[in-house]
């Protein structure tokens, strides 16, 4: 009899490969949702992993799933990407353990259900987590990616280009991440470093309840997504992870400055 985690581990183990043999992949937000799924997919492809998050128990869960999948024990770094000292520790610990960095996946992020409002707190919180944190970490990782001719995958959102007035700061932060990635792609291309974004539509992760939505409202939202998305399916975290590992791999060696929309067609509009 399997529990959910062992089923996921088994699913990942079935497709084990060697695409990321000897590659060091640093994943932020690896304690949950899309980041955790990316970590497991990279493990399936034999990557050496550095996993970042704030919740040590959830990080340990992801790490032990990765270890079961490929036999390699990931490095866990409990860190807050909004804290500059933590950013330095992420880099130092990863280099101490592996000596290099080949891929950075910036998945850590938060959501906030807020339109324009005089209270600047929600705006600051979203921007610190979704934009300033990834920006700071990226600037510190870049010299090491130039050495390895590595690449960056930033987890953006379909909402980077589709305005949603109930999530103004979130949409702004993701639009900025898209432009950040394009500017970097242009600057770092001649140095052999690729930079891309993966832009999911709504994915079933704790992101919504963490931002204050009621469980019943989340369920109702996903029922609407499923019936209105052109493909009539909900995008899952594993669907996003599949595209992230592809973009980060040598198979995409000519791809930079691109945004991959993984959204069951939703950014095209509702297909009723
Ligand atoms: N779910 C969706 O529908 C959806 C759609 C489009 C884009 N995205 C994007 O996908 C990314 C991942 O979201 P998710 O859906 O996987 O959400 P999630 O399950 O809530 O995971 C968010 C992750 O980010 C980490 N995190 C947040 N703030 C952090 C900080 N200051 N320092 C370190 N880690 C931090 C959390 O770590 P701890 O829990 O350990 O603190 C957690 O691992 C986000 O950038 C989100 O904007 C999600």
């Amino acid at each position: 009899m399997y529990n959910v985690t062992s089923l996921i581990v088994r699913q990942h183990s079935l497709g084990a490969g060697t695409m990321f043999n000897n590659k060091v992949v640093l994943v932020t937000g690896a304690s949950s949702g899309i980041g955790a799924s990316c970590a497991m997919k990279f493990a399936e492809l034999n990557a050496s992993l550095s996993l970042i998050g704030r919740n040590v128990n959830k990080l340990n869960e992801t790490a032990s799933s990765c270890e079961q999948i490929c036999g390699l024990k990931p490095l866990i770094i409990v860190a807050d990407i909004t804290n500059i000292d933590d950013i330095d520790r992420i880099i130092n610990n990863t280099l101490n353990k592996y000596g290099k960095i080949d891929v950075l996946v910036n998945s850590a992020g938060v959501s906030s259900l807020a339109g324009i409002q005089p209270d600047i707190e929600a705006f600051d919180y979203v921007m610190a987590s979704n934009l300033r944190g990834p920006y700071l970490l990226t600037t510190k990782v870049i010299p090491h990616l130039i050495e390895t001719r590595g690449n960056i995958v930033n987890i953006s959102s379909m909402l980077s280009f589709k305005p949603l007035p109930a999530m103004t700061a979130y949409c702004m932060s993701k639009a900025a991440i898209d432009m950040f990635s394009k500017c970097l792609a242009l600057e770092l291309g001649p140095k052999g470093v690729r930079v891309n974004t993966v832009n999911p539509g709504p994915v079933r992760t704790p992101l919504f309840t963490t931002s204050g939505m009621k469980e019943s409202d989340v369920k109702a939202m996903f029922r609407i997504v499923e019936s209105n998305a052109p493909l009539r399916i909900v995008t899952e975290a594993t669907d996003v992870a599949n595209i992230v590992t592809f973009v980060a791999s040598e198979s995409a060696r000519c791809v930079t400055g691109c945004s991959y929309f993984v959204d069951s067609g939703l950014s095209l509009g509702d297909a009723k």
Side-chain angles (χ1 to χ4, degrees), residues 55-86:
N55 184 319
V56 66
N57 293 335
K58 288 175 75 189
L59 266 184
N60 273 321
E61 270 174 36
T62 307
S64 76
S65 298
C66 291
E67 194 176 352
Q68 284 180 59
I69 289 165
C70 69
L72 299 172
K73 194 180 173 71
L75 174 66
I76 283 179
I77 306 172
V78 180
D80 182 337
I81 59 157
T82 66
N83 180 317
I84 185 74
D85 295 335
D86 283 13

Side-chain angles (χ1 to χ4, degrees), residues 183-237:
C183 291
L184 276 184
L186 205 50
E187 187 175 343
L188 299 178
K191 294 179 174 151
V193 175
R194 301 184 297 111
V195 188
N196 294 288
T197 69
V198 171
N199 301 50
V203 177
R204 274 188 276 247
T205 72
L207 187 78
F208 302 95
T209 44
T210 309
S211 67
M213 260 177 100
K214 280 196 284 181
E215 192 71 52
S216 53
D217 291 343
V218 176
K219 282 197 176 135
M221 181 188 78
F222 278 106
R223 275 197 296 276
I224 293 170
V225 166
E226 190 164 19
S227 62
N228 287 6
L231 289 176
R232 301 286 191 267
I233 50 175
V234 173
T235 304
E236 303 292 348

Side-chain angles (χ1 to χ4, degrees), residues 8-10 12 14 31 34 57 73 87 94 101-102 109 146-148 154 163 188 200 213 218-220 228 260 263:
I8 292 171
V9 167
R10 190 159 169 271
H12 279 282
L14 290 174
S31 50
I34 291 169
N57 293 335
K73 194 180 173 71
I87 298 263
T94 303
I101 302 170
D102 295 284
I146 291 172
E147 277 179 25
T148 55
N154 288 322
L188 299 178
M213 260 177 100
V218 176
K219 282 197 176 135
N228 287 6
Y260 282 78
D263 63 356

Side-chain angles (χ1 to χ4, degrees), residues 9-216:
V9 167
R10 190 159 169 271
Q11 222 177 9
H12 279 282
S13 310
L14 290 174
T18 55
M19 198 182 264
F20 285 89
N21 250 357
N22 301 318
K23 298 285 183 195
V24 177
V25 180
L26 197 161
V27 184
T28 72
S31 50
S32 180
I34 291 169
S37 207
C38 288
M40 286 189 255
K41 185 71 191 175
F42 277 111
E44 190 182 310
L45 302 171
N46 229 24
S48 300
L49 288 162
S50 190
L51 305 181
I52 321 301
R54 294 167 300 187
N55 184 319
V56 66
N57 293 335
K58 288 175 75 189
L59 266 184
N60 273 321
E61 270 174 36
T62 307
S64 76
S65 298
C66 291
E67 194 176 352
Q68 284 180 59
I69 289 165
C70 69
L72 299 172
K73 194 180 173 71
L75 174 66
I76 283 179
I77 306 172
V78 180
D80 182 337
I81 59 157
T82 66
N83 180 317
I84 185 74
D85 295 335
D86 283 13
I87 298 263
D88 288 336
R89 197 161 45 79
I90 291 169
I91 308 288
N92 294 338
N93 290 6
T94 303
L95 292 175
N96 282 343
K97 163 107 178 157
Y98 299 116
K100 64 166 187 163
I101 302 170
D102 295 284
V103 177
L104 167 64
V105 179
N106 279 311
S107 186
V110 297
S111 175
S112 168
L113 299 171
I116 184 78
Q117 50 182 227
D119 177 358
I120 201 74
E121 241 172 57
F123 175 88
D124 284 345
Y125 170 63
V126 170
M127 289 298 173
S129 312
N130 293 5
L131 186 57
R132 189 173 182 275
Y135 181 96
L136 279 175
L137 180 60
T138 301
T139 57
K140 302 265 181 171
V141 174
I142 283 171
H144 308 288
L145 293 179
I146 291 172
E147 277 179 25
T148 55
R149 298 179 77 80
N151 72 87
I152 301 168
V153 183
N154 288 322
I155 307 301
S156 178
S157 167
M158 172 187 113
L159 299 180
S160 68
F161 111 116
K162 199 174 191 301
L164 194 63
M167 292 174 72
T168 302
Y170 183 84
C171 295
M172 289 168 72
S173 72
K174 295 302 187 182
I177 280 291
D178 281 6
M179 185 51 77
F180 174 47
S181 307
K182 286 185 172 51
C183 291
L184 276 184
L186 205 50
E187 187 175 343
L188 299 178
K191 294 179 174 151
V193 175
R194 301 184 297 111
V195 188
N196 294 288
T197 69
V198 171
N199 301 50
V203 177
R204 274 188 276 247
T205 72
L207 187 78
F208 302 95
T209 44
T210 309
S211 67
M213 260 177 100
K214 280 196 284 181
E215 192 71 52
S216 53

